């Protein structure tokens, strides 16, 4: 779904025109547990973030959620996504271009062993670097470092 109700119908019509309607599921907005169920069924996940200086400051939660579920990811160049995918080896980072996304997705769909290996690497990376406990320890450490000079 989108802000404008006609957006969804436009996409449904395009999928029919391209002969892809049987391969696309339009779910609309879903509660978080239902989203995880849909993601678990996916062979490859995508994390498109529109290139924008404002959005460059963010950290894409969906990327980490996909990785935590053991999914290979195709994402576009974005400071955090580029760094995380390079560090983890959990997917492909491409330019903001539909052809680039399509080629990377097709590559992973036609190389399921590679996709599974990427998914496993992503899950391991998240467990080592981005669990809530790990993030809490990092933040606590930063607070201690900032407060320490005040206690002298």
């Amino acid at each position: 779904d989108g802000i404008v109700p006609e957006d969804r119908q436009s996409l449904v019509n395009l999928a029919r025109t391209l002969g892809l309607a049987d391969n696309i599921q339009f779910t609309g907005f879903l509660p978080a547990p239902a989203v995880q169920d849909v993601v678990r069924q996916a062979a490859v996940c995508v994390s498109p973030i529109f290139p924008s200086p404002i959005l460059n400051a963010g950290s894409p939660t969906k990327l980490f959620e996909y990785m935590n579920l053991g999914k290979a990811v195709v994402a576009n160049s974005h400071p955090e996504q580029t760094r995380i995918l390079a560090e983890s080896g959990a997917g492909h980072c491409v330019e903001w271009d539909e052809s680039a996304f399509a080629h990377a997705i097709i590559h992973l769909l036609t190389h399921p062993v590679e996709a599974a290996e990427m998914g496993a690497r992503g899950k391991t990376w998240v467990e080592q670097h981005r669990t809530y406990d790990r993030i809490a320890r990092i933040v606590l450490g930063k607070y201690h470092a900032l407060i320490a000079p005040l206690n002298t």
Side-chain angles (χ1 to χ4, degrees):
D1 292 328
I3 296 170
V4 179
E6 295 79 25
D7 288 347
R8 180 181 178 142
Q9 191 57 52
S10 174
L11 291 172
V12 169
N13 293 342
L14 180 59
R16 283 190 195 122
T17 300
L18 295 173
L20 300 172
D22 292 340
N23 299 307
I24 297 174
Q25 178 183 10
F26 293 94
T27 64
F29 293 108
L30 297 172
V35 171
Q36 288 186 357
D37 290 341
V38 171
V39 171
R40 282 187 182 95
Q41 297 173 36
V44 175
C45 293
V46 295
S47 183
I49 297 179
F50 183 75
S52 160
I54 291 172
L55 297 178
N56 282 349
S59 184
T61 304
K62 66 184 162 196
L63 176 67
F64 302 114
E65 290 173 345
Y66 297 156
M67 290 168 61
N68 191 49
L69 291 170
K71 299 300 178 177
V73 181
V74 175
N76 63 290
S77 297
H78 167 277
E80 185 83 344
Q81 293 194 138
T82 301
R83 183 179 67 78
I84 298 306
L85 289 178
E87 283 181 18
S88 67
H92 293 292
C93 194
V94 300
E95 292 306 312
W96 181 256
D97 172 80
E98 61 271 11
S99 260
F101 268 97
H103 284 91
I105 293 166
I106 290 167
H107 175 83
L108 289 173
L109 290 174
T110 57
H111 295 84
V113 173
E114 179 183 345
E117 290 169 352
M118 287 178 158
R121 286 193 298 266
K123 184 165 182 53
T124 299
W125 190 93
V126 168
E127 290 167 354
Q128 293 173 348
H129 301 279
R130 286 293 172 109
T131 64
Y132 288 118
D133 287 343
R134 175 85 172 122
I135 293 169
R137 283 192 297 271
I138 291 168
V139 170
L140 183 61
K142 295 288 184 187
Y143 281 138
H144 282 289
L146 291 170
I147 294 170
L150 302 175
N151 292 329
T152 58

